[in-house]
Amino acid sequence: MSALPRISQNSAVLLEKARSFGLSDEQLLDVIEKNDVTPLEQSGTDYSEWVSYASEHNENLEAAVKVGYQMTFNTVYGLKNWLKFRFGLEAEKDYTEGEGRFDGLKLNEKDASFIQSALASNWVVLVESTGDIQVVNLVMRAYYQPEA
């Protein structure tokens, strides 16, 4: 299997926000190809430099839309936003937030797998299968203490 395209956390958040706003992958690919963010103007977010930034930094947004992506680095705040736009999850409602960690995300197997592939290497993804539901804990690598 080939490696997923790597994109910035900001590009990933903007991509998932556009999806949550209702744009289909086909519409997103059209926005990217034409560098025309008109369909995103009502989203409440400034997308004016999204495509040009990605191009300047060799981010393959087309591939990210089609096959998925891995973020290059994740911050706590950025990851919270990404979880909100990608999965509709909010801190203290859908998971608990601690210092450098998010615990108790309840996801299906497909979404748990997506998180494992999408997060940057500065986070550790711990998944516990409980039947159809996967309980996912995300821990910033600097805070991760493997059990002995």
Side-chain angles (χ1 to χ4, degrees):
M1 181 175 149
S2 62
L4 291 171
R6 292 175 51 84
I7 65 174
S8 68
Q9 175 179 266
N10 189 56
S11 288
V13 168
L14 289 171
L15 170 60
E16 299 306 341
K17 186 170 187 179
R19 283 177 167 155
S20 73
F21 185 65
L23 266 68
S24 68
D25 285 355
E26 293 77 25
Q27 290 170 309
L28 282 167
L29 291 169
D30 193 53
V31 164
I32 294 163
E33 180 184 325
K34 295 176 181 173
N35 193 11
D36 177 9
V37 297
T38 305
L40 296 163
E41 287 177 350
Q42 301 301 313
S43 71
T45 298
D46 181 5
Y47 278 86
S48 62
E49 296 181 13
W50 180 46
V51 177
S52 59
Y53 174 89
S55 178
E56 290 169 15
H57 293 86
N58 296 315
E59 294 182 3
N60 188 342
L61 290 179
E62 295 92 348
V65 169
K66 291 177 183 176
V67 301
Y69 51 83
Q70 181 182 28
M71 291 176 268
T72 54
F73 188 82
N74 293 114
T75 64
V76 170
Y77 183 74
L79 187 51
K80 277 175 70 168
N81 278 328
W82 183 80
L83 290 169
K84 178 173 67 174
F85 294 123
R86 174 69 192 197
F87 302 107
L89 300 174
E90 295 186 32
E92 306 314 325
K93 178 179 154 203
D94 300 302
Y95 59 89
T96 58
E97 181 181 357
E99 187 173 358
R101 65 184 304 131
F102 303 117
D103 292 310
L105 290 86
K106 293 177 178 59
L107 302 167
N108 62 38
E109 188 173 341
K110 180 181 173 187
D111 290 344
S113 179
F114 186 81
I115 283 183
Q116 288 178 299
S117 64
L119 260 57
S121 60
N122 66 311
W123 285 79
V124 176
V125 180
L126 305 168
V127 179
E128 180 184 331
S129 182
T130 59
D132 291 342
I133 299 296
Q134 312 292 309
V135 178
V136 178
N137 299 314
L138 309 175
V139 184
M140 191 180 289
R141 192 164 296 281
Y143 292 96
Y144 179 61
Q145 302 273 328
E147 293 181 22

